Amino acid sequence: MLNRWAMVLTVAIGSVSLLTAMAHAASQLQIRKQPFGTTASNEGIDLFTLTNAKGMEADIMTYGGIIVSLKVPDRIGKVQEVTLGYDSLDGYLKNNSPYFGAIIGRYGNRIAQGRFSLSGREYRLATNNGESHLHGGNRGFDKVVWKAEEVRSQNAVGIKLAYVSKDGEEGYPGMLSVTVTYTLNNNSELRIDYSATTDKETVVNLTNHAYFNLAGSGDILKHEAMINADRFTPVNAAVIPTGEIRSVSGTPMDFTKPMAIGARINQKDEQLILGKGYDHNWVLNRKDNKLSLAARVVEAASGRVLEVLTTEPGIQFYTGNFLDGTIKGKGGRVYQQRAGFCLETQHFPDSPNKPNFPSTVLKPGEKYVTTTVYKFSTQSK
Ligand code: GLA
C-alpha cells in the first residue's frame, strides 16, 4: 500500500515538474507591441517583437508585414542582427526599399509584359520593372498596412496579419482576402503561414523577401548554400523564365551539395551574366507538397545555420545583385552588392504565362494555403 502511494506521489511530482518546465519554456515565448510611427496618410504602424527561450528575437511591423529585424545567437550565444533593413519606419517609407523583409503579393517575382489571360480574358498589370510586373506592382503587399492580431499557442507566439486587396488592385481580378501568420517557437523556427481566398478567378503567389547575412556584416560570398533542387528555370534578358526547366548539373547553379555562394558567382556563365549573379528560380526536389527542406545556408565563422522549409514548388535565390552601396541601412551600415541573400519560396515566376509551370490560379471557393519556415541553429567548428 505504502509503495503504491509512493509511486503515485513520484508520478505526481514528476508531472508537476514537467509541467513547470513546459510552462517556464512557454513563458519565455513573448510578444511585445509598440507604436512604430505613422505613414504619410497618418496611419499608425505597430511593431511586434517575438522572443523565444533561445534568445532569438523577431521584429515584425504592420507596414508591409515587414520583418524589420531578426536577432539570432551564434555558436557561443552572441546575438546579432541577421537581416538587412532600416532602423525606423521612415527608412522604409522614404527610401525605395528593395523589398527588405517584406511580404510580397499578389505575385512574387515577374510577370512578363505585365499581362496574362484567364478564361479567355486578358488582364493588364502595373509594369514597375522595365516592361515587366514585379512583386505585385507599384503598391504591392510590401507597401500596404496590415491588420494585426496576436496569436499564442502552447509552443509558439506570433501575429496574424490580414489584408483585403480590392478587385482590380494593380490590375488583378477579384477581391483577394489574405492572411499571413508569423510564429516563433523555442526551436528557433520562424514560421510563415499564408492563406488567401478570392471572389473571382485570379492568380496568387505570396512570399517573403527577407535578406539574410548570417555573419551580421560584410558580404555573403563565403556563406555555404545547399539548395535541394536538381533543376532551375533559366531566364532571358528581362530575367523572365524562358519556360525551359533545365538541369543544374555541371553548371554554377548546382547547389545540390553545399557550396560557397561566391565560389562561381563571377563565372562567365550566360545565366549568371543575365541575372547579375544568382537571381533565379530553383525547381525544388519533392515527392509531395508537404513541408520539406528547400535550402540550408551555413556561415562557418559564427556557426549560424539557416534552413528553409516550404510547401512551395520553387525558391528564388537572389544574391543582392542590385545593392550598390547607395542604401544606408541598420546602424548606418552601407549595403554593398552581395551584402545579403534572399531565399524566396514561391511558385515559378511568370507562371500565368507558362502553361507548363505549376498553376498559380485561384478560383472562388478554393483556399490558397502555403507554409514556409526559416529555422535557425548553430553548428560547431
Ligand atoms: C527579386 C528579383 C530581383 C530583384 C529583387 C529586388 O528577388 O528576382 O531581380 O528585383 O527581387 O531588388
Side-chain angles (χ1 to χ4, degrees):
M1 191 64 179
L2 231 176
N3 272 347
R4 212 162 121 211
W5 280 116
M7 230 168 76
V8 169
L9 205 65
T10 319
V11 171
I13 292 171
S15 325
V16 169
S17 48
L18 184 69
L19 284 176
T20 318
M22 278 165 63
H24 183 66
S27 74
Q28 298 196 14
L29 285 167
Q30 283 170 358
I31 317 180
R32 230 173 43 235
K33 176 183 170 183
Q34 54 183 308
F36 199 54
T38 49
T39 64
S41 53
N42 224 18
E43 278 178 283
I45 301 301
D46 290 319
L47 182 76
F48 291 84
T49 300
L50 314 178
T51 48
N52 76 2
K54 302 271 169 60
M56 183 173 160
E57 182 184 309
D59 291 350
I60 297 153
M61 67 165 156
T62 50
Y63 178 77
I66 291 173
I67 301 174
V68 174
S69 167
L70 262 187
K71 298 200 183 88
V72 177
D74 70 0
R75 70 159 72 82
I76 57 165
K78 186 176 157 205
V79 176
Q80 258 177 311
E81 178 62 52
V82 296
T83 62
L84 271 48
Y86 302 99
D87 289 320
S88 67
L89 175 62
D90 262 17
Y92 293 90
L93 297 178
K94 292 197 178 129
N95 297 289
N96 195 11
S97 169
Y99 307 96
F100 287 142
I103 294 171
I104 304 295
R106 292 189 191 190
Y107 202 96
N109 215 279
R110 294 178 178 78
I111 295 179
Q113 313 280 321
R115 288 180 199 189
F116 66 94
S117 295
L118 268 182
S119 302
R121 206 185 134 181
E122 188 183 76
Y123 293 94
R124 296 223 169 180
L125 306 173
T127 48
N128 57 323
N129 186 250
E131 292 189 331
S132 312
H133 174 84
L134 175 67
H135 293 330
N138 293 318
R139 189 164 181 260
F141 293 177
D142 57 301
K143 294 181 188 69
V144 304
V145 181
W146 295 71
K147 281 210 168 64
E149 187 188 306
E150 297 185 8
V151 292
R152 289 165 208 270
S153 68
Q154 176 103 51
N155 304 311
V157 285
I159 54 165
K160 181 176 184 179
L161 300 174
Y163 175 68
V164 178
S165 170
K166 292 196 184 71
D167 187 6
E169 202 170 282
E170 301 294 321
Y172 289 99
M175 181 178 89
L176 190 76
S177 305
V178 187
T179 71
V180 178
T181 306
Y182 287 100
T183 50
L184 178 69
N185 65 19
N186 279 331
N187 291 326
S188 296
E189 292 172 335
L190 180 67
R191 179 181 167 119
I192 316 178
D193 289 293
Y194 301 88
S195 89
T197 53
T198 184
D199 65 355
K200 278 188 197 149
E201 191 179 25
T202 191
V203 294
V204 56
N205 184 29
L206 307 178
T207 191
N208 179 280
H209 208 301
Y211 287 64
F212 299 98
N213 182 321
L214 303 179
S217 62
D219 63 47
I220 45 82
L221 297 173
K222 289 205 188 91
H223 286 51
E224 284 201 346
M226 184 286 292
I227 303 176
N228 184 17
D230 294 335
R231 297 171 302 160
F232 77 109
T233 52
V235 293
N236 65 20
V239 207
I240 300 279
T242 60
E244 181 191 344
I245 293 185
R246 190 184 287 174
S247 166
V248 295
S249 167
T251 79
M253 316 308 270
D254 189 352
F255 283 97
T256 50
K257 299 204 176 60
M259 185 60 96
I261 293 175
R264 301 161 297 181
I265 203 166
N266 293 319
Q267 280 183 12
K268 296 218 164 11
D269 171 87
E270 184 218 21
Q271 286 299 313
L272 287 175
I273 293 167
L274 290 171
K276 297 189 169 51
Y278 294 105
D279 189 359
H280 296 79
N281 169 68
W282 269 255
V283 177
L284 294 170
N285 296 335
R286 53 166 66 257
K287 286 184 236 75
D288 48 38
N289 55 7
K290 295 214 179 85
L291 192 64
S292 60
L293 186 69
R296 186 169 196 271
V297 182
V298 178
E299 200 283 306
S302 64
R304 289 193 186 93
V305 180
L306 165 64
E307 285 174 319
V308 184
L309 295 94
T310 190
T311 56
E312 286 286 63
I315 199 164
Q316 187 83 9
F317 177 46
Y318 169 64
T319 42
N321 311 333
F322 297 117
L323 299 174
D324 58 5
T326 53
I327 294 178
K328 215 186 240 178
K330 292 174 209 256
R333 214 182 120 207
V334 173
Y335 297 137
Q336 302 291 354
Q337 200 188 33
R338 324 256 191 253
F341 66 87
C342 304
L343 284 166
E344 305 153 64
T345 55
Q346 61 184 8
H347 268 58
F348 311 167
D350 203 31
S351 296
N353 295 305
K354 298 284 182 323
N356 60 322
F357 287 178
S359 171
T360 51
V361 174
L362 183 72
K363 296 193 174 117
E366 293 175 348
K367 192 166 181 186
Y368 169 95
V369 183
T370 75
T371 300
T372 291
V373 173
Y374 291 113
K375 178 176 168 49
F376 293 89
S377 59
T378 56
Q379 71 179 34
S380 46
K381 276 201 175 140

